[in-house]
Each structure stands twice: as C-alpha cells, then as structure tokens.
Amino acid sequence: DGTPIRVEGYYICLYDDQQRITGHFGVQRDITDITAAIKALADSETKYRLLVENQTDVVIKLDAHRRVLFASPSYCELFGQSSAELLGQTFMPLVHEDDRATTDAAMAQLLTPPHTCYVEQQTMTVHGWRWLAWSDQAMLTPQGEVEAIVCVGRDITERKLAELALQESEERFRIAMNAAQVGTWDWNIQTGEIVWSETLETLMGLAPGSFAKSLE
C-alpha cells in the first residue's frame, strides 16, 4: 500500500563447482512492529533514567538476595560510593543494629501480596546516622517468585527527631506530674477520645483504667 517498512534480511551466495558465484539466496522478514517496540522501550527507559537520576529521593534495585543491582546518583552521593562499588553489595551493614530486625520483618512482607512494604530505619551515611523511610516493591517472575526489589528511600531525620523530642517532652511532663501528685486529663470533643494520668485515678480512688467510665 506504499507504506515504508523495515525489514531484516539474511543472504548467502550460491556457488558452482569452481566456487564461482552463480546467484544469491535471501530471506527477509518484516520487523516494523519489532523496531517500533524496541524504540518505545528505549524511550521509556530514557524517561525512567532521567526521572531516577534527577530526583532527590534515593532509589536502589536489589536482587532476590538483597544485593544491589542498581543505585541512583542520589543514593551513591548519600552513601559516598560509586555505582560500581555498590553493585553486588548488601545494604544491611549500613543499617543500625537496632533496626535490622524490623527491617528484616518488613521486607518479609514482600513475599506475599501485595508484595510491598514500608520501613523506617537509622542508616549510616556520609552525614552520619540518618533516618530513612523506605517504600519497597517486589518484582515477580511469571511463576510469582521475587525476582528483584525496587526501593525508594527518603530522609526523614528532621521529622523523626521532632517526634522523639515530643515523646521525650511528654514523658518528662508525665513524670513531673506524677511526682507532684497532680492528676491531669484531656478530652477531645471532636473525636471523643479521653486520656488521663495514672495519678488522677489514684487521687480519685479509682481502679486503673476506669476514669473514662466515671464520666458517664
């Protein structure tokens, strides 16, 4: 119909008894669709690479044994190693020993649907210990086995430190109130949630955990 196509050809020469070329034999096939698919895949991979290489979140791809297959430039920068140095390594030695068990437990969820997990861990970086939040997604074989794991991490150190400081402040306040024999309680009128101190029940002569019922 006049539409240009791309073809792939295989050709051989035909010889007579004196090894003189007497003709040619060739086979051609239409590879237009294949070429278009390869180009689309290349374009997709280029866009993916540009996205990964220019985002601030860190990205790594692991094999089924959690060895690094790919590390984004932001990951290499955060851990002070080149992509070549990271390939084949496991990430666990970088994780604080207090968070290794929770990391293992979280990643075990990748073996079952929906094959995702989320974990927050302390990790040794070029800037010292930092808190990272990881969202992981397993890539499966046609047989449903984990073939690779794509992990996207984000530095949440400032948020985590603020949360820990708040917890510490609240604990100090609780200890101070108990020491001063001051009972406190708080009622959220929007949610109906009620929280109170242990000292309050002691001062009121109530059984532990019964303050909320005393308001009814």
Side-chain angles (χ1 to χ4, degrees), residues 19-32:
Q19 296 301 306
R20 292 174 298 188
I21 296 176
T22 60
H24 299 86
F25 178 81
V27 176
Q28 292 182 323
R29 65 172 180 147
D30 186 343
I31 61 169
T32 306

Side-chain angles (χ1 to χ4, degrees), residues 74-104:
S74 55
Y75 185 96
C76 296
E77 181 180 353
L78 182 62
F79 292 98
Q81 297 185 65
S82 68
S83 179
E85 291 172 324
L86 289 166
L87 293 181
Q89 291 189 26
T90 60
F91 69 89
M92 195 61 83
L94 299 172
V95 178
H96 196 286
E97 59 182 11
D98 291 347
D99 297 324
R100 291 177 185 175
T102 55
T103 298
D104 271 329

Side-chain angles (χ1 to χ4, degrees), residues 153-211:
R154 175 169 297 183
D155 192 324
I156 59 168
T157 303
E158 283 68 29
R159 191 205 82 192
K160 201 70 177 180
L161 292 178
E163 290 177 353
L164 293 174
L166 178 60
Q167 292 174 7
E168 181 180 355
S169 175
E170 290 176 341
E171 179 61 16
R172 291 167 119 180
F173 177 75
R174 185 189 67 80
I175 293 174
M177 290 296 99
N178 287 342
Q181 288 296 294
V182 175
T184 61
W185 66 286
D186 178 78
W187 176 29
N188 188 321
I189 60 174
Q190 292 183 325
T191 64
E193 180 184 13
I194 302 173
V195 294
W196 60 90
S197 66
E198 298 174 4
T199 307
L200 179 63
E201 291 179 324
T202 301
L203 294 173
M204 297 180 66
L206 299 172
S210 63
F211 174 71

Side-chain angles (χ1 to χ4, degrees), residues 43-103:
D43 290 343
S44 176
E45 290 177 342
T46 298
K47 292 177 182 177
Y48 175 76
R49 186 176 66 253
L50 288 173
L51 173 64
V52 169
E53 291 180 353
N54 290 281
Q55 68 171 340
T56 55
D57 289 351
V58 295
V59 180
I60 53 173
K61 182 179 180 180
L62 310 174
D63 65 15
H65 301 287
R66 303 181 188 175
R67 295 174 299 208
V68 176
L69 297 173
F70 165 82
S72 68
S74 55
Y75 185 96
C76 296
E77 181 180 353
L78 182 62
F79 292 98
Q81 297 185 65
S82 68
S83 179
E85 291 172 324
L86 289 166
L87 293 181
Q89 291 189 26
T90 60
F91 69 89
M92 195 61 83
L94 299 172
V95 178
H96 196 286
E97 59 182 11
D98 291 347
D99 297 324
R100 291 177 185 175
T102 55
T103 298

Side-chain angles (χ1 to χ4, degrees), residues 142-155:
Q143 292 73 36
E145 299 176 349
V146 175
E147 181 178 44
I149 307 167
V150 176
C151 312
V152 180
R154 175 169 297 183
D155 192 324

